[in-house]
Amino acid sequence: MKKKIVVVGAFVTDLVATMKEFPAAGESIVGETLNTYLGGKGVNQCVSVARLGGDVSMIGMVGDDAYGKKFLSFMDEEGIDHRGVFVHKELPTGLAQVQINASSQNRICVIPGANMGFGFEEEEKVKPILDNADIVMFQFEMRLDVIFDMIRYCHKKGKTVVLNPAPAAPIPDDILAAVDYLTPNETELAKISGISSYDTLEDIEEGCKRLKDKGVKTIVTTLGDRGCYIYNEKGNFYKGFKVKAVDTVAAGDSFNGAFTVKLSEGSSLEEAARYANGMGALTVQTKGAIPSLKNRECLEAFLAENK
Ligand code: ADP
């Protein structure tokens, strides 16, 4: 039977304005285009699981505003159960103001808003949803004290804990020991494990070993176009697919979603790695986050063509 996945994570709306040149301090300029995109690592991972046919629910918090409403109706469209998503009365829905100039440089200001409003009170309320889950996925775009407490709870209840430690932050030893699958990218691995270089597979293996010594069961490190490296009893490298990348936004999120869907179906690590590398490779071929998250049919056609 397919296992039940719950994603605990953030909602962020990206407001992307393009302009010839950034305004200087105190200056107003006229920009060119404005686009609004739904995102946040939690949402991206949840949508990726849903589109690949996983049985998934979302836990988190939006604001009582138009962006929050948009997220709720979007989750309905995607068939995602959002009974664990709260609406904060005062804080705005998480938002990123993104400015892009003619040379494609960006300046980004993130307002976490309601994502940081999810506290211990909400944690208490979602415990029945966590109790009902088999696999729970976390990232670091919410209050870390609350995330750590939820990880401890899930571990105690025997749930499979998948932690995507992004953006990287120091992780207490008892949390590392409660994680079944830790899924950093290479820079996050370096920050968390303390390795000074991540150029070679030996460097990556060293970082994984340090985390394994602290009790993480399996470390899945994503390596961009190189693929991924999975370490539990020993390390294995799984080569990525050769594709033309146009935008790497959400590659890590789609990888995490696909990997977890395969875990929920009882697949081997090797199969999960191939599936997740395939999903990441598909994602980088399309611009944006949500539009680049492909469905199962698409992914399986890609894998069949790239045996
Ligand atoms: P993040 O987005 O978190 O930095 P990565 O860049 O490591 O994560 O990408 C996640 C996964 O997406 C990789 O492990 C790989 O499978 C796939 N991927 C990323 N970039 C490419 C690329 N240029 N070509 C093919 N696959 C890619």
Side-chain angles (χ1 to χ4, degrees):
M1 214 179 68
K2 217 171 13 180
K3 292 184 173 164
K4 171 97 196 145
I5 301 169
V6 170
V7 179
V8 180
F11 295 85
V12 181
T13 306
D14 290 337
L15 290 186
V16 184
T18 61
M19 58 209 67
K20 282 205 179 69
E21 283 178 32
F22 295 129
E27 185 189 15
S28 292
I29 57 149
V30 176
E32 290 170 344
T33 63
L34 178 70
N35 283 295
T36 307
Y37 302 104
L38 300 186
K41 292 181 198 302
V43 171
N44 293 342
Q45 293 184 15
C46 192
V47 170
S48 156
V49 169
R51 290 187 180 170
L52 293 174
D55 177 4
V56 67
S57 301
M58 178 92 190
I59 287 176
M61 195 173 239
V62 295
D64 188 10
D65 50 27
Y67 298 124
K69 288 192 179 76
K70 177 82 193 144
F71 272 118
L72 296 178
S73 62
F74 172 66
M75 282 187 286
D76 285 333
E77 285 160 29
E78 296 285 332
I80 296 167
D81 175 3
H82 56 79
R83 280 173 292 181
V85 178
F86 297 84
V87 179
H88 200 284
K89 286 283 160 250
E90 282 131 43
L91 293 171
T93 301
L95 190 135
Q97 283 188 317
V98 183
Q99 297 186 336
I100 301 179
N101 70 9
S103 328
S104 298
Q105 291 172 311
N106 60 43
R107 288 186 177 174
I108 304 174
C109 173
V110 178
I111 306 291
N115 293 307
M116 292 295 171
F118 189 102
F120 292 111
E121 205 178 300
E122 286 74 25
E123 180 190 346
E124 270 318 301
K125 291 187 186 150
V126 300
K127 280 186 175 167
I129 300 176
L130 297 175
D131 291 344
N132 198 31
D134 299 296
I135 305 176
V136 187
M137 301 174 73
F138 297 92
Q139 319 80 34
F140 280 166
E141 289 184 327
M142 291 165 69
R143 270 178 58 180
L144 290 187
D145 55 347
V146 178
I147 291 293
F148 291 156
D149 205 54
M150 291 172 91
I151 290 177
R152 285 188 194 101
Y153 179 81
C154 289
H155 178 64
K156 221 184 283 162
K157 290 274 175 166
K159 310 299 173 190
T160 299
V161 173
V162 179
L163 173 61
N164 176 223
I171 308 177
D173 285 357
D174 76 308
I175 296 299
L176 289 172
V179 172
D180 295 283
Y181 297 91
L182 186 73
T183 63
N185 64 17
E186 46 206 345
T187 54
E188 290 149 3
L189 176 76
K191 281 191 187 152
I192 294 165
S193 68
I195 53 170
S196 51
S197 148
Y198 47 82
D199 295 338
T200 66
L201 286 183
E202 286 72 36
D203 296 332
I204 301 291
E205 183 177 19
E206 171 59 24
C208 292
K209 271 189 180 148
R210 291 188 191 182
L211 295 174
K212 180 79 187 164
D213 285 346
K214 296 210 159 171
V216 181
K217 286 191 193 63
T218 302
I219 301 106
V220 182
T221 307
T222 63
L223 307 171
D225 61 357
R226 290 193 283 173
C228 65
Y229 185 84
I230 303 188
Y231 190 94
N232 47 23
E233 297 322 317
K234 59 181 184 58
N236 276 307
F237 168 64
Y238 300 96
K239 200 168 176 306
F241 293 90
K242 270 224 156 344
V243 296
K244 194 170 167 341
V246 297
D247 173 12
T248 60
V249 168
D253 293 333
S254 74
F255 179 101
N256 272 276
F259 186 82
T260 308
V261 165
K262 278 284 142 180
L263 288 184
S264 78
E265 294 171 0
S267 301
S268 65
L269 279 182
E270 190 180 354
E271 221 177 311
R274 181 173 147 76
Y275 213 72
N277 272 336
M279 186 69 168
L282 274 183
T283 301
V284 301
Q285 293 177 76
T286 306
K287 279 200 163 192
I290 302 285
S292 71
L293 302 173
K294 302 300 180 198
N295 63 21
R296 191 164 191 128
E297 200 182 346
C298 224
L299 174 54
E300 287 182 358
F302 174 81
L303 292 174
E305 277 165 27
N306 292 277
K307 280 231 163 85

